[in-house]
PDB file of all heavy atoms in Angstrom:
ATOM      1  N   LYS H  57     -11.860   2.482  -7.628  1.00 93.00           N
ATOM      2  CA  LYS H  57     -12.680   2.702  -6.442  1.00 93.00           C
ATOM      3  C   LYS H  57     -11.790   2.681  -5.215  1.00 93.00           C
ATOM      4  O   LYS H  57     -10.916   1.818  -5.087  1.00 93.00           O
ATOM      5  CB  LYS H  57     -13.744   1.616  -6.326  1.00 93.00           C
ATOM      6  CG  LYS H  57     -14.752   1.832  -5.215  1.00 93.00           C
ATOM      7  CD  LYS H  57     -15.790   0.709  -5.212  1.00 93.00           C
ATOM      8  CE  LYS H  57     -16.941   1.016  -4.265  1.00 93.00           C
ATOM      9  NZ  LYS H  57     -16.488   1.231  -2.880  1.00 93.00           N
ATOM     10  N   GLY H  58     -12.021   3.615  -4.304  1.00 94.00           N
ATOM     11  CA  GLY H  58     -11.296   3.654  -3.047  1.00 94.00           C
ATOM     12  C   GLY H  58     -11.972   2.793  -2.003  1.00 94.00           C
ATOM     13  O   GLY H  58     -12.919   2.056  -2.290  1.00 94.00           O
ATOM     14  N   ASN H  59     -11.492   2.918  -0.788  1.00 94.00           N
ATOM     15  CA  ASN H  59     -11.964   2.060   0.291  1.00 94.00           C
ATOM     16  C   ASN H  59     -13.034   2.769   1.131  1.00 94.00           C
ATOM     17  O   ASN H  59     -12.808   3.116   2.285  1.00 94.00           O
ATOM     18  CB  ASN H  59     -10.775   1.652   1.178  1.00 94.00           C
ATOM     19  CG  ASN H  59     -11.156   0.588   2.162  1.00 94.00           C
ATOM     20  OD1 ASN H  59     -12.083  -0.175   1.927  1.00 94.00           O
ATOM     21  ND2 ASN H  59     -10.454   0.552   3.284  1.00 94.00           N
ATOM     22  N   PHE H  60     -14.180   2.972   0.537  1.00 96.00           N
ATOM     23  CA  PHE H  60     -15.301   3.605   1.218  1.00 96.00           C
ATOM     24  C   PHE H  60     -16.499   2.658   1.199  1.00 96.00           C
ATOM     25  O   PHE H  60     -16.620   1.825   0.302  1.00 96.00           O
ATOM     26  CB  PHE H  60     -15.678   4.925   0.520  1.00 96.00           C
ATOM     27  CG  PHE H  60     -14.828   6.087   0.942  1.00 96.00           C
ATOM     28  CD1 PHE H  60     -13.570   6.286   0.372  1.00 96.00           C
ATOM     29  CD2 PHE H  60     -15.266   6.985   1.906  1.00 96.00           C
ATOM     30  CE1 PHE H  60     -12.772   7.340   0.765  1.00 96.00           C
ATOM     31  CE2 PHE H  60     -14.482   8.054   2.294  1.00 96.00           C
ATOM     32  CZ  PHE H  60     -13.225   8.229   1.724  1.00 96.00           C
ATOM     33  N   PRO H  61     -17.392   2.805   2.193  1.00 96.00           N
ATOM     34  CA  PRO H  61     -18.573   1.908   2.225  1.00 96.00           C
ATOM     35  C   PRO H  61     -19.504   2.154   1.049  1.00 96.00           C
ATOM     36  O   PRO H  61     -19.430   3.178   0.375  1.00 96.00           O
ATOM     37  CB  PRO H  61     -19.250   2.262   3.553  1.00 96.00           C
ATOM     38  CG  PRO H  61     -18.733   3.599   3.931  1.00 96.00           C
ATOM     39  CD  PRO H  61     -17.346   3.703   3.368  1.00 96.00           C
ATOM     40  N   GLY H  62     -20.402   1.190   0.835  1.00 96.00           N
ATOM     41  CA  GLY H  62     -21.318   1.244  -0.288  1.00 96.00           C
ATOM     42  C   GLY H  62     -22.294   2.405  -0.244  1.00 96.00           C
ATOM     43  O   GLY H  62     -22.977   2.680  -1.237  1.00 96.00           O
ATOM     44  N   ARG H  63     -22.357   3.103   0.894  1.00 97.00           N
ATOM     45  CA  ARG H  63     -23.229   4.284   0.981  1.00 97.00           C
ATOM     46  C   ARG H  63     -22.764   5.388   0.020  1.00 97.00           C
ATOM     47  O   ARG H  63     -23.537   6.278  -0.325  1.00 97.00           O
ATOM     48  CB  ARG H  63     -23.229   4.842   2.404  1.00 97.00           C
ATOM     49  CG  ARG H  63     -23.713   3.904   3.477  1.00 97.00           C
ATOM     50  CD  ARG H  63     -23.805   4.600   4.824  1.00 97.00           C
ATOM     51  NE  ARG H  63     -22.519   5.068   5.328  1.00 97.00           N
ATOM     52  CZ  ARG H  63     -22.154   6.346   5.357  1.00 97.00           C
ATOM     53  NH1 ARG H  63     -22.968   7.293   4.913  1.00 97.00           N
ATOM     54  NH2 ARG H  63     -20.977   6.687   5.833  1.00 97.00           N
ATOM     55  N   PHE H  64     -21.513   5.308  -0.369  1.00 98.00           N
ATOM     56  CA  PHE H  64     -20.950   6.291  -1.296  1.00 98.00           C
ATOM     57  C   PHE H  64     -21.020   5.706  -2.709  1.00 98.00           C
ATOM     58  O   PHE H  64     -20.492   4.621  -2.970  1.00 98.00           O
ATOM     59  CB  PHE H  64     -19.495   6.588  -0.938  1.00 98.00           C
ATOM     60  CG  PHE H  64     -19.330   7.330   0.354  1.00 98.00           C
ATOM     61  CD1 PHE H  64     -19.349   6.650   1.562  1.00 98.00           C
ATOM     62  CD2 PHE H  64     -19.154   8.707   0.364  1.00 98.00           C
ATOM     63  CE1 PHE H  64     -19.206   7.328   2.758  1.00 98.00           C
ATOM     64  CE2 PHE H  64     -19.001   9.393   1.570  1.00 98.00           C
ATOM     65  CZ  PHE H  64     -19.032   8.693   2.766  1.00 98.00           C
ATOM     66  N   SER H  65     -21.666   6.402  -3.575  1.00 97.00           N
ATOM     67  CA  SER H  65     -21.785   5.923  -4.948  1.00 97.00           C
ATOM     68  C   SER H  65     -21.673   7.098  -5.908  1.00 97.00           C
ATOM     69  O   SER H  65     -21.773   8.262  -5.495  1.00 97.00           O
ATOM     70  CB  SER H  65     -23.118   5.196  -5.161  1.00 97.00           C
ATOM     71  OG  SER H  65     -24.200   6.084  -4.967  1.00 97.00           O
ATOM     72  N   GLY H  66     -21.473   6.777  -7.156  1.00 97.00           N
ATOM     73  CA  GLY H  66     -21.358   7.853  -8.135  1.00 97.00           C
ATOM     74  C   GLY H  66     -21.846   7.391  -9.484  1.00 97.00           C
ATOM     75  O   GLY H  66     -22.192   6.222  -9.682  1.00 97.00           O
ATOM     76  N   ARG H  67     -21.878   8.348 -10.399  1.00 97.00           N
ATOM     77  CA  ARG H  67     -22.175   8.006 -11.787  1.00 97.00           C
ATOM     78  C   ARG H  67     -21.647   9.116 -12.672  1.00 97.00           C
ATOM     79  O   ARG H  67     -21.363  10.228 -12.208  1.00 97.00           O
ATOM     80  CB  ARG H  67     -23.671   7.802 -11.998  1.00 97.00           C
ATOM     81  CG  ARG H  67     -24.550   9.004 -11.678  1.00 97.00           C
ATOM     82  CD  ARG H  67     -25.992   8.673 -11.998  1.00 97.00           C
ATOM     83  NE  ARG H  67     -26.894   9.767 -11.636  1.00 97.00           N
ATOM     84  CZ  ARG H  67     -28.168   9.814 -12.023  1.00 97.00           C
ATOM     85  NH1 ARG H  67     -28.688   8.864 -12.779  1.00 97.00           N
ATOM     86  NH2 ARG H  67     -28.941  10.823 -11.647  1.00 97.00           N
ATOM     87  N   GLN H  68     -21.550   8.775 -13.940  1.00 97.00           N
ATOM     88  CA  GLN H  68     -21.092   9.764 -14.913  1.00 97.00           C
ATOM     89  C   GLN H  68     -22.035   9.727 -16.106  1.00 97.00           C
ATOM     90  O   GLN H  68     -22.473   8.648 -16.539  1.00 97.00           O
ATOM     91  CB  GLN H  68     -19.654   9.469 -15.364  1.00 97.00           C
ATOM     92  CG  GLN H  68     -19.073  10.557 -16.263  1.00 97.00           C
ATOM     93  CD  GLN H  68     -17.647  10.243 -16.700  1.00 97.00           C
ATOM     94  OE1 GLN H  68     -17.286   9.087 -16.906  1.00 97.00           O
ATOM     95  NE2 GLN H  68     -16.836  11.278 -16.827  1.00 97.00           N
ATOM     96  N   PHE H  69     -22.291  10.887 -16.639  1.00 97.00           N
ATOM     97  CA  PHE H  69     -23.211  11.008 -17.762  1.00 97.00           C
ATOM     98  C   PHE H  69     -22.439  11.092 -19.079  1.00 97.00           C
ATOM     99  O   PHE H  69     -21.210  11.245 -19.081  1.00 97.00           O
ATOM    100  CB  PHE H  69     -24.094  12.246 -17.573  1.00 97.00           C
ATOM    101  CG  PHE H  69     -24.886  12.201 -16.290  1.00 97.00           C
ATOM    102  CD1 PHE H  69     -24.408  12.807 -15.137  1.00 97.00           C
ATOM    103  CD2 PHE H  69     -26.099  11.532 -16.217  1.00 97.00           C
ATOM    104  CE1 PHE H  69     -25.122  12.755 -13.943  1.00 97.00           C
ATOM    105  CE2 PHE H  69     -26.823  11.471 -15.034  1.00 97.00           C
ATOM    106  CZ  PHE H  69     -26.327  12.087 -13.896  1.00 97.00           C
ATOM    107  N   SER H  70     -23.172  11.006 -20.179  1.00 96.00           N
ATOM    108  CA  SER H  70     -22.523  10.971 -21.492  1.00 96.00           C
ATOM    109  C   SER H  70     -21.769  12.257 -21.802  1.00 96.00           C
ATOM    110  O   SER H  70     -20.852  12.267 -22.628  1.00 96.00           O
ATOM    111  CB  SER H  70     -23.558  10.698 -22.584  1.00 96.00           C
ATOM    112  OG  SER H  70     -24.559  11.693 -22.565  1.00 96.00           O
ATOM    113  N   ASN H  71     -22.111  13.357 -21.139  1.00 95.00           N
ATOM    114  CA  ASN H  71     -21.379  14.612 -21.352  1.00 95.00           C
ATOM    115  C   ASN H  71     -20.212  14.766 -20.362  1.00 95.00           C
ATOM    116  O   ASN H  71     -19.637  15.839 -20.240  1.00 95.00           O
ATOM    117  CB  ASN H  71     -22.324  15.812 -21.234  1.00 95.00           C
ATOM    118  CG  ASN H  71     -22.940  15.922 -19.849  1.00 95.00           C
ATOM    119  OD1 ASN H  71     -22.698  15.076 -18.977  1.00 95.00           O
ATOM    120  ND2 ASN H  71     -23.749  16.945 -19.648  1.00 95.00           N
ATOM    121  N   SER H  72     -19.865  13.691 -19.660  1.00 96.00           N
ATOM    122  CA  SER H  72     -18.762  13.599 -18.685  1.00 96.00           C
ATOM    123  C   SER H  72     -19.077  14.216 -17.334  1.00 96.00           C
ATOM    124  O   SER H  72     -18.285  14.055 -16.413  1.00 96.00           O
ATOM    125  CB  SER H  72     -17.447  14.188 -19.231  1.00 96.00           C
ATOM    126  OG  SER H  72     -17.008  13.439 -20.329  1.00 96.00           O
ATOM    127  N   ARG H  73     -20.175  14.906 -17.198  1.00 97.00           N
ATOM    128  CA  ARG H  73     -20.573  15.406 -15.885  1.00 97.00           C
ATOM    129  C   ARG H  73     -20.773  14.228 -14.939  1.00 97.00           C
ATOM    130  O   ARG H  73     -21.154  13.131 -15.373  1.00 97.00           O
ATOM    131  CB  ARG H  73     -21.853  16.220 -15.992  1.00 97.00           C
ATOM    132  CG  ARG H  73     -22.220  16.979 -14.733  1.00 97.00           C
ATOM    133  CD  ARG H  73     -23.481  17.827 -14.945  1.00 97.00           C
ATOM    134  NE  ARG H  73     -24.684  17.015 -15.086  1.00 97.00           N
ATOM    135  CZ  ARG H  73     -25.413  16.559 -14.066  1.00 97.00           C
ATOM    136  NH1 ARG H  73     -25.048  16.830 -12.818  1.00 97.00           N
ATOM    137  NH2 ARG H  73     -26.499  15.852 -14.299  1.00 97.00           N
TER     138      ARG H  73
END
Side-chain angles (χ1 to χ4, degrees):
Chain H
K57 187 179 190 302
N59 190 26
F60 277 82
R63 300 186 297 107
F64 291 82
S65 63
R67 60 177 177 168
Q68 186 180 34
F69 302 94
S70 58
N71 62 358
S72 296
R73 190 177 70 85

